[in-house]
Amino acid sequence: MRILHILDHSIPLQSGYTFRTRAILEQQRALGWETSHITSPKHYVAESLEEEIDSFHFYRSPRINGVRARLPIMNQFAVIDTLAKRLDEVVRKVQPDLLHAHSPALNGAAAVRIARRWGLPVVYEVRAFWEDAAVDHGTSRAGGLRYRLTQGLETWVLKQVGAVTTICEGLRSEIIARGIPSDKVTVIPNAVDPGKFQMGAEPDQTLATKLGFKGKQVLGFIGSFYAYEGLSLLLESFPIILASAPNTRLLLVGGGPQEHNLKALVRERGFDDKVIFTGRVPHAEVQRYYDLVDIFVYPRLPMRLTEIVTPLKPLEAMAQGKLVVASDVGGHKELIRAGETGELFKAGDPEALAHTVLNLLAQPEHWPQRKAAGRRFIEKERCWPASVARYETVYRGLC
């Protein structure tokens, strides 16, 4: 089977989007499927129209220039047109059996156009509703013109394609609510490769000393600092935690739009010496910081985006046998079994967050059992081979 994947970005860009992309491509190759890959003009760089990365060959779309590139809304249609033109060239060359377009809907719209020309089936994969992400990032307003146009295009693509896949039950329910038949929508959940994560790795004592963590209990968050991640709520709860567990420290690894505000809040509260911001660290170094953390905290705020989309980071933490505390938004409840693989607290409530962390800190005798349960969950239910194997049924149903 020859599959042509249509993507916004590709490896080696390090993000949740591309981690999933890499996993899908690696597993499909292991299954003996022949895959080709094209990225849209939104790809982070396109110096060449073809590129080899980590033994994967990528076809790139040219950049968009001129007036259309600068006009709001029109620039999005320019992405579709440019991608469709390049996709037509690539289809002619690689002769795929099926097009697999990954959200956003711009990719799906281009795929539908070219699939009709060539008589090919299309699978469209929804990883998030991009209109909701744009609202949180401040580039769109809920219910505004851009929001409604993006939502409308997404729904149109969903209705045109032969099959839809998505990453979680929350998104599946939303897709079905848009009038898409339930038997057309398959959940292929996010997962991790347990073989790439080691349980019980010893902390780097040199790094621990450098950060002031020697002999401390460390709470941590590693990821992007977007408002919906709720890191301000974590900082709001931290004084409550310190009052009962003064030996606790907080490690924040990463960066993003909220970084300046978070640092200002720490200075304002006067615990600069107890909250460590590392900034973004090279991917090869991230594991050293994971190893320092006793409890990972994911305080996502309650909103449409977090209620229906599952994150990847809690799975990575559980794969390493780390303790996990998370807000009870819908995306977390699909991943974490409270009292078994992690702990959930009432979303948006700093006192509930603090009390949940303190209860866990006070029961170290339960930690080994909790860590082992999280790792078993990953190995049995959320490993990439099990997840990606579901694509075969979807593909075979169209070819």
Side-chain angles (χ1 to χ4, degrees):
M1 184 182 300
R2 296 188 300 274
I3 306 140
L4 177 53
H5 288 275
I6 304 158
L7 306 152
D8 246 15
H9 301 289
S10 71
I11 53 178
L13 188 66
Q14 302 298 339
S15 69
Y17 185 99
T18 53
F19 287 146
R20 180 179 173 90
T21 297
R22 177 191 288 273
I24 291 171
L25 300 186
E26 288 177 344
Q27 291 299 322
Q28 290 190 346
R29 173 182 285 180
L31 289 169
W33 301 348
E34 185 180 330
T35 63
S36 301
H37 329 94
I38 180 173
T39 53
S40 83
K42 295 170 73 69
H43 181 62
Y44 69 107
V45 64
E47 299 299 336
S48 172
L49 288 180
E50 295 190 35
E51 189 175 9
E52 196 82 18
I53 299 177
D54 295 351
S55 77
F56 291 103
H57 190 82
F58 289 92
Y59 295 93
R60 306 300 190 194
S61 299
R63 294 179 179 179
I64 302 170
N65 297 306
V67 176
R68 293 184 79 192
R70 298 189 296 271
L71 293 176
I73 299 178
M74 290 301 297
N75 56 7
Q76 303 303 297
F77 287 102
V79 169
I80 297 173
D81 292 342
T82 303
L83 174 58
K85 182 178 179 180
R86 179 62 171 149
L87 181 57
D88 189 49
E89 297 170 352
V90 174
V91 167
R92 186 184 306 274
K93 183 174 182 178
V94 304
Q95 296 291 304
D97 299 308
L98 176 144
L99 302 183
H100 182 150
H102 302 248
S103 56
L106 305 180
N107 296 342
V112 168
R113 183 187 302 180
I114 300 307
R116 288 173 175 171
R117 183 174 303 170
W118 288 90
L120 292 171
V122 180
V123 172
Y124 180 53
E125 177 164 325
V126 179
R127 301 184 179 190
F129 288 134
W130 290 65
E131 63 268 24
D132 295 324
V135 169
D136 187 76
H137 297 166
T139 58
S140 180
R141 179 176 57 84
L145 177 62
R146 180 176 175 181
Y147 184 96
R148 287 182 282 113
L149 285 172
T150 304
Q151 190 176 62
L153 179 62
E154 186 92 55
T155 302
W156 180 84
V157 170
L158 291 168
K159 291 180 178 179
Q160 304 306 310
V161 300
V164 178
T165 67
T166 190
I167 65 171
C168 60
E169 291 294 339
L171 283 170
R172 182 175 185 272
S173 296
E174 288 286 321
I175 291 167
I176 292 170
R178 296 189 185 195
I180 309 303
S182 60
D183 60 359
K184 185 178 173 178
V185 189
T186 303
V187 173
I188 300 179
N190 272 333
V192 295
D193 181 354
K196 293 182 178 178
F197 296 96
Q198 179 183 352
M199 274 194 70
E202 289 297 321
D204 183 327
Q205 294 303 320
T206 301
L207 182 58
T209 300
K210 176 184 176 183
L211 298 176
F213 290 165
K214 204 71 180 275
K216 308 298 183 183
Q217 291 180 312
V218 181
L219 310 180
F221 176 91
I222 298 177
S224 298
F225 297 173
Y226 291 117
Y228 62 78
E229 295 292 2
L231 296 179
S232 59
L233 185 83
L234 175 55
L235 292 177
E236 189 178 346
S237 74
F238 197 50
I240 305 173
I241 296 171
L242 284 174
S244 296
N247 203 39
T248 306
R249 297 293 181 266
L250 177 59
L251 175 65
L252 299 177
V253 180
Q258 293 295 309
E259 184 172 358
H260 176 77
N261 293 339
L262 295 172
K263 288 180 176 179
L265 184 58
V266 168
R267 288 193 299 270
E268 181 183 305
R269 295 295 179 92
F271 40 70
D272 307 59
D273 59 330
K274 296 178 176 62
V275 179
I276 303 299
F277 291 88
T278 67
R280 300 185 189 276
V281 301
H283 181 63
E285 295 291 312
V286 171
Q287 189 59 54
R288 298 174 67 213
Y289 292 89
Y290 263 106
D291 294 341
L292 296 175
V293 177
D294 296 299
I295 301 174
F296 276 94
V297 183
Y298 302 101
R300 285 192 160 193
L301 300 176
M303 60 181 65
R304 178 176 162 79
L305 177 68
T306 59
E307 291 291 349
I308 64 176
V309 178
T310 53
L312 187 60
K313 293 299 182 183
L315 297 178
E316 294 179 349
M318 284 189 276
Q320 296 174 70
K322 295 295 183 179
L323 300 170
V324 171
V325 168
S327 60
D328 64 353
V329 294
H332 284 153
K333 288 193 287 189
E334 282 195 45
L335 300 180
I336 298 164
R337 296 166 183 163
E340 180 183 345
T341 62
E343 292 292 346
L344 297 171
F345 65 89
K346 184 179 178 182
D349 187 336
E351 291 191 0
L353 191 166
H355 292 153
T356 302
V357 169
L358 289 170
N359 285 339
L360 196 53
L361 288 173
Q363 301 178 59
E365 67 276 12
H366 296 315
W367 290 9
Q369 180 181 356
R370 184 69 51 82
K371 292 176 179 181
R375 176 72 182 196
R376 282 196 303 272
F377 171 69
I378 297 300
E379 292 175 341
K380 292 182 178 180
E381 301 181 40
R382 288 304 179 98
C383 62
W384 280 119
S387 184
V388 173
R390 301 185 187 188
Y391 283 114
E392 182 167 17
T393 301
V394 177
Y395 292 166
R396 297 294 181 193
L398 297 179
C399 294

